[in-house]
Amino acid sequence: MKLIEKIKEKIKKKDINKRKLYLFMLIALFIGSSIIELLGFNFRILTLPNEQKGKHEISLEELKLQDLVYNKKNNVFTITGGNPAFSIDGVVEYINYLNIETDKDSAPIHINMSGTKKEYDLNYRIKKVSVLKVDYPSKQLNFNITSDDGSKVFKFNQIVVDNTITFNWLRFFLFFSIGSAIVFLVLFRGFVLQNLHIAFLVLSVTIGVNMSIMTPTYYAYDELQHFIRAYELANFDFGIFSEEKEISWIENIEDFFSFSGTKSVTHNTYPEFVDYFNNYAIDKYTHKAYYNSTAITYPFIPYTFSALGILIARLLGVSFICSFYMGRIFSLLGYVLVCYIAIKYAKVGKRIMFLIALLPVSLYSAAAYSADPSTLSFSLLTITIYTDMLFMDEKKLNYKKVVLFALCISMMTMCKITYAPFCLLILSVPCNKFKNKKEAVLSKLGVFIIVGIVALLTLLLGTSKGIDQWEIPDVDTTGQVLFIFNNMLLYIKIMISHVAEKFFIYFVGTTTSLAYCGTLSPIWTVGLIVYLFVMTVIDGEDENVYIQKKEKFFLALTIFASWALVLTALYITFTPVGKLSIDGVQGRYFAPLVLPLLLLFQTNKIKCDFSKEQLNSIAVLSSFFVLSVSVIKI
């Protein structure tokens, strides 16, 4: 007994020492990140002669022009040749940032800096002052001009070279947070590798929060529409009734909305981000209005977490823009919470869930306003509950577990009604898991009744709001439904052709697409697809908990039924009547079906010599690496 007590005391003391070391490392990381940001990224400025430091306004007459003519009277530049450009050679030796104030009457233009890969859009509608990160000696550096709308004239009001020291808080937080995550994973690696859900928590929160604050406004799919719905819910407008309820917004909210749908990003550089942030750092909500959203056809459920974030921010009295980012972060936290539970309690495919939940697409959408994170997270939790029922001891399955299963599918259905077929999985749960046959029949019937009622109410809500919200020419839901019924074989052929043609794109949309921030190289997509399939084949928690043929049949049926409904929904609401292709289908819609698809390839015929900890190490390191590349791209 004394020996056991000594061992326990030694372990406790070791843990306390690790915690102290971690705290010390956090302090060191904070200081180190500050030094790197302050001295490392401002090194060129610190070494400049004093007369070159600070801000220098450049007279427009001092610019050296190529294929351009400058009119001093109205500050208008006219393109006269095929290679218009200007340079600031001779005025300053080095340019850190170049601030260009455009005129409200100026045509939008595109600037490409010769000798670098940097490109910027200058558009008064997006930002009055564009701040170009140059970080280059001015000698022989040309700023090449391209007119975005074909116009031959554009107008600058002012050009300023900014050679002042800038502390980029976003970059500082990126270094500090990722460094903190690495130290935690290394110091507590034994505990983390035994508990994969803890590793998920650390990685998802660390990378996800960075994605939330770094992603430009509306650079996630349809984010404006989803933000409006979340904001309405935060103001206790549940969107169930038909009346248009006016709620309080900031005075310049329409400027905030105007960025949606433009090709130009709201901020390309940190000073632009600061200007943008300050423009909406308002805590007075004096503008009463109602704004329509195409997401009005969704129930309020997918927006609960993000709305909670906005509501808390409002109660704390922070600015509007802070509440916007708070909503994003709470959307992330809601996703993390559900996935954490799914991964922690999964009996089958724990590592596959971990990898799917941390795919770039998954975390990127979770860190923004969207219905997708709720759909994906509850699909993972649905599979966790399903496999738990499959491998439960005989006569141990009760109503509580079944109801929880039905509620998870109902959550998915309220996010995207096309995933209601997940209820088919209950049919493959053996009757001997229930107390008796009667309870088995009632339980399975109950799942269909609960999900069916939720699906019906969701459909009724969508149709009452106008299910085809996009106002696309020649789209007629009634006409398209009649076309399908009258041409069933042709429609089946259309679906098969669509799947065959877009199959790879589905996986791009579920793995490496970062919406309007771009997509990782195709090699990343191929690598991740192969990696997921390999991990599925070699993965296993216990040789007694493998999906059997009967369950795989129902998984395949679920995939087929759900995907057919996705295609049909887009064909009815987004595609002109009778068109021989399907419009509007995006790869991200396939995300909830990835885990069921991968489980079809799970096998106990291939033995793996890797230990649980080794497989977990591979999963953690690979996810961390891919997510780091993704957040750097953002």
Side-chain angles (χ1 to χ4, degrees):
M1 290 295 293
K2 288 183 178 180
L3 179 61
I4 294 173
E5 290 298 324
K6 284 182 179 180
I7 293 172
K8 286 182 177 179
E9 187 65 29
K10 190 174 180 181
I11 293 171
K12 186 177 180 182
K13 187 175 180 181
K14 187 177 179 182
D15 288 341
I16 292 172
N17 289 336
K18 280 187 176 181
R19 293 191 192 105
K20 288 181 178 178
L21 178 59
Y22 183 57
L23 181 60
F24 171 79
M25 291 297 294
L26 287 181
I27 296 171
L29 279 168
F30 185 89
I31 296 171
S33 299
S34 300
I35 292 172
I36 291 171
E37 180 56 43
L38 191 61
L39 302 180
F41 286 98
N42 290 285
F43 180 77
R44 295 287 295 273
I45 296 175
L46 293 170
T47 58
L48 287 175
N50 287 332
E51 65 273 11
Q52 292 288 319
K53 296 178 181 177
K55 294 186 177 181
H56 306 271
E57 183 173 351
I58 307 299
S59 171
L60 299 179
E61 297 176 80
E62 294 180 277
L63 299 177
K64 295 184 177 180
L65 306 179
Q66 173 184 302
D67 289 344
L68 286 173
V69 173
Y70 170 63
N71 188 330
K72 183 180 178 180
K73 290 182 179 180
N74 52 14
N75 291 339
V76 168
F77 292 83
T78 303
I79 298 173
T80 58
N83 299 295
F86 68 88
S87 65
I88 311 177
D89 185 20
V91 182
V92 289
E93 296 176 4
Y94 167 79
I95 305 172
N96 184 30
Y97 287 108
L98 188 68
N99 301 354
I100 301 179
E101 181 184 329
T102 53
D103 189 86
K104 64 180 181 179
D105 297 324
S106 176
I109 62 170
H110 184 82
I111 287 184
N112 167 269
M113 291 184 280
S114 62
T116 74
K117 294 182 179 179
K118 297 174 182 177
E119 300 181 357
Y120 296 93
D121 292 315
L122 275 64
N123 189 335
Y124 184 89
R125 181 188 172 195
I126 306 301
K127 46 210 167 192
K128 297 175 183 178
V129 178
S130 295
V131 185
L132 286 60
K133 178 63 174 175
V134 182
D135 190 22
Y136 210 77
S138 61
K139 189 177 182 180
Q140 296 180 343
L141 175 64
N142 280 346
F143 295 89
N144 303 307
I145 305 292
T146 305
S147 175
D148 288 350
D149 63 357
S151 176
K152 293 292 184 181
V153 296
F154 58 90
K155 188 175 181 180
F156 292 161
N157 290 336
Q158 188 183 53
I159 295 180
V160 176
V161 172
D162 185 353
N163 286 340
T164 57
I165 292 174
T166 303
F167 194 95
N168 188 329
W169 286 100
L170 296 183
R171 189 164 53 204
F172 162 79
F173 179 72
L174 177 65
F175 290 151
F176 174 70
S177 58
I178 288 185
S180 301
I182 292 173
V183 171
F184 180 87
L185 294 173
V186 171
L187 275 181
F188 303 100
R189 59 187 178 277
F191 173 72
V192 168
L193 296 179
Q194 284 288 335
N195 299 276
L196 200 57
H197 53 285
I198 301 297
F200 168 77
L201 184 66
V202 173
L203 292 184
S204 59
V205 172
T206 301
I207 303 295
V209 170
N210 278 287
M211 286 181 169
S212 289
I213 60 179
M214 287 184 176
T215 301
T217 312
Y218 313 137
Y219 262 55
Y221 290 119
D222 302 322
E223 188 175 34
L224 170 60
Q225 310 302 327
H226 296 298
F227 166 65
I228 291 174
R229 287 290 285 119
Y231 189 89
E232 289 173 342
L233 181 58
N235 285 269
F236 304 103
D237 180 1
F238 294 89
I240 297 174
F241 304 106
S242 58
E243 62 264 19
E244 299 178 352
K245 179 181 176 182
E246 291 187 348
I247 55 178
S248 298
W249 303 82
I250 56 173
E251 195 61 39
N252 57 345
I253 186 63
E254 292 188 9
D255 287 341
F256 186 76
F257 289 162
S258 68
F259 297 117
S260 180
T262 61
K263 294 181 180 179
S264 299
V265 66
T266 52
H267 48 272
N268 279 302
T269 56
Y270 181 69
E272 287 187 351
F273 170 78
V274 173
D275 288 342
Y276 175 78
F277 189 94
N278 290 337
N279 195 37
Y280 301 103
I282 302 169
D283 58 4
K284 290 182 171 40
Y285 298 79
T286 57
H287 180 63
K288 283 268 191 180
Y290 168 82
Y291 293 100
N292 186 47
S293 166
T294 57
I296 193 65
T297 56
Y298 288 88
F300 64 87
I301 292 297
Y303 308 105
T304 305
F305 289 110
S306 51
L308 180 61
I310 296 172
L311 179 61
I312 291 173
R314 289 286 297 273
L315 293 174
L316 293 174
V318 301
S319 66
F320 170 80
I321 192 66
C322 286
S323 70
F324 176 85
Y325 286 106
M326 185 84 92
R328 275 185 172 181
I329 291 172
F330 267 68
S331 172
L332 170 72
L333 295 179
Y335 171 81
V336 170
L337 175 64
V338 178
C339 290
Y340 174 89
I341 296 171
I343 294 167
K344 181 178 180 179
Y345 294 104
K347 289 185 177 180
V348 176
K350 185 185 291 285
R351 274 175 286 276
I352 307 306
M353 285 190 188
F354 174 89
L355 293 172
I356 292 172
L358 287 176
L359 285 170
V361 171
S362 306
L363 207 57
Y364 183 84
S365 63
Y369 290 92
S370 175
D372 292 339
S374 293
T375 314
L376 176 59
S377 59
F378 278 101
S379 74
L380 299 181
L381 187 55
T382 297
I383 297 298
T384 292
I385 298 171
Y386 168 63
T387 54
D388 187 39
M389 291 191 294
L390 285 180
F391 301 108
M392 191 171 281
D393 292 336
E394 289 187 15
K395 301 187 182 301
K396 292 293 183 180
L397 184 54
N398 54 36
Y399 287 120
K400 184 178 178 181
K401 183 77 68 175
V402 174
V403 169
L404 191 60
F405 175 74
L407 290 178
C408 283
I409 301 174
S410 297
M411 291 293 290
M412 292 177 62
T413 302
M414 284 185 281
C415 297
K416 293 277 197 305
I417 195 173
T418 51
Y419 302 113
F422 267 71
C423 63
L424 293 170
L425 295 175
I426 193 65
L427 297 176
S428 66
V429 177
C431 290
N432 62 6
K433 302 295 180 182
F434 298 87
K435 291 180 182 179
N436 51 61
K437 189 174 181 180
K438 180 182 178 181
E439 187 169 309
V441 173
L442 290 175
S443 296
K444 294 183 180 186
L445 183 61
V447 170
F448 282 93
I449 291 173
I450 293 172
V451 176
I453 291 173
V454 171
L456 179 61
L457 292 175
T458 303
L459 181 62
L460 289 174
L461 174 66
T463 52
S464 70
K465 301 294 182 180
I467 206 163
D468 49 343
Q469 287 280 318
W470 300 277
E471 298 182 359
I472 300 171
D474 299 323
V475 169
D476 175 12
T477 54
T478 304
Q480 196 73 295
V481 170
L482 291 174
F483 175 81
I484 292 172
F485 276 112
N486 292 327
N487 302 274
M488 187 60 70
L489 292 178
L490 175 60
Y491 178 61
I492 292 172
K493 183 180 178 181
I494 291 171
M495 284 199 295
I496 294 172
S497 299
H498 178 86
V499 171
E501 181 183 347
K502 305 289 184 180
F503 195 70
F504 181 75
I505 295 175
Y506 295 159
F507 286 100
V508 173
T510 57
T511 54
T512 57
S513 173
L514 300 173
Y516 302 120
C517 281
T519 302
L520 299 183
S521 165
I523 192 67
W524 287 95
T525 305
V526 174
L528 282 171
I529 293 171
V530 173
Y531 175 58
L532 284 171
F533 275 93
V534 170
M535 285 294 283
T536 301
V537 171
I538 67 174
D539 180 45
E541 293 293 322
D542 189 311
E543 63 181 10
N544 296 319
V545 288
Y546 282 93
I547 302 291
Q548 302 301 315
K549 289 181 179 179
K550 177 185 175 183
E551 290 82 35
K552 287 183 178 181
F553 169 78
F554 279 94
L555 283 169
L557 183 62
T558 299
I559 296 168
F560 172 79
S562 294
W563 195 240
L565 283 178
V566 169
L567 296 180
T568 303
L570 270 299
Y571 193 67
I572 291 172
T573 63
F574 210 85
T575 308
V577 176
K579 190 172 181 179
L580 299 181
S581 59
I582 305 173
D583 296 337
V585 182
Q586 298 180 21
R588 61 195 171 100
Y589 301 150
F590 191 66
L593 304 177
V594 171
L595 180 59
L597 176 66
L598 290 173
L599 290 178
L600 296 179
F601 297 89
Q602 193 187 48
T603 177
N604 58 356
K605 295 180 181 179
I606 298 176
K607 299 299 180 182
C608 174
D609 293 330
F610 290 110
S611 66
K612 172 184 174 181
E613 288 75 16
Q614 287 173 326
L615 285 173
N616 286 350
S617 296
I618 294 170
V620 171
L621 289 173
S622 60
S623 292
F624 184 78
F625 179 69
V626 174
L627 287 173
S628 296
V629 171
S630 301
V631 80
I632 288 169
K633 180 177 179 64
I634 295 170

